Amino acid sequence: VDDPDLEIDEHSFMVLRGCGPKGYPGMPEVGNMPLPQKLLEKGVRDMVRISDARMSGTAFGTVILHVSPESLAGGPINLVRTGDMITLDAKARRLELNVDADTLEKRAQENAKLPAQHAPARGYLKLNHGHVLQADKGCDLDFLVGKSGDEVKRESH
C-alpha cells in the first residue's frame, strides 16, 4: 500500500480478499489494512476498507469485514478489480459493485479457469475447505452445527 505509484486517493476504497474461512483457514485477524503513507501525508485519516477477513477490535475506521460469501467461495468480492466504482450506503446497509452484468460474468468465467490454489489434497485443511461455513454463519464446520448444544459449562473466553 505504500508504493508511491499506487493509484489511490482519499475517494478510493481498499479491498482485501482471500482471507475468509476457506482462503485463510482459522480466519485470523489479518484484515487490518493501514492507510497508504502518501494519503496520511495529505492528512487523510480514514477511508473505506472492505474485506472477507477479520480485524482486531483495536483497529479503527470505516471498515466492512466478514464479507460473505468470501472470495474463495465465489463471492462477489472476487470480481472486484482496480478502478471499479463501489457504492456504500451504510445507513441502508447497501454495498454495490457498479460494474455491468456482462463484465461480471466475464470475470467470473476467467476466475473459474484459474487453478484451485487453495484446494488441499488431504488432512484438516481439506476438511476445512470442504466443510467450513462462511463468516455470516459462524465459520463452524457444517457437520458440527447443532451437535454441541447451547450450554457453556466454563468461561468461554
Side-chain angles (χ1 to χ4, degrees):
V1 298
D2 286 331
D3 179 345
D5 296 326
L6 181 66
E7 294 181 29
I8 193 167
D9 65 23
E10 61 274 12
H11 305 291
S12 299
F13 285 20
M14 293 175 68
V15 178
L16 173 67
R17 60 180 169 233
C19 300
K22 285 180 185 266
Y24 211 122
M27 206 175 170
E29 294 178 340
V30 297
N32 192 6
M33 292 180 273
L35 301 185
Q37 186 63 35
K38 71 181 187 180
L39 294 182
L40 290 170
E41 290 170 0
K42 289 173 61 176
V44 176
R45 295 293 175 252
D46 191 16
M47 62 190 307
V48 177
R49 287 155 290 163
I50 303 170
S51 182
D52 52 9
R54 287 176 55 213
M55 178 188 283
S56 167
T58 62
F60 73 95
T62 307
V63 294
I64 300 165
L65 300 169
H66 305 175
V67 171
S68 297
E70 68 179 292
S71 61
L72 201 68
I77 191 172
N78 201 37
L79 303 177
V80 178
R81 299 294 184 267
T82 299
D84 287 350
M85 297 299 296
I86 300 172
T87 301
L88 169 63
D89 182 343
K91 188 173 182 179
R93 299 181 56 87
R94 185 173 67 92
L95 181 64
E96 186 174 333
L97 178 57
N98 302 311
V99 177
D100 66 87
D102 290 339
T103 300
L104 293 177
E105 179 59 32
K106 181 179 176 186
R107 289 177 185 177
Q109 289 174 6
E110 289 169 0
N111 288 348
K113 295 176 188 174
L114 297 175
Q117 303 170 12
H118 297 284
R122 61 179 306 277
Y124 176 77
L125 292 178
K126 180 174 178 61
L127 185 68
N128 181 79
H129 185 83
H131 294 279
V132 71
L133 298 172
Q134 291 298 289
D136 64 322
K137 304 292 185 206
C139 303
D140 200 357
L141 298 174
D142 59 6
F143 56 84
L144 294 177
V145 173
K147 307 293 189 223
S148 302
D150 58 2
E151 183 180 354
V152 177
K153 296 182 181 183
R154 60 174 175 76
E155 181 61 38
S156 63
H157 46 283

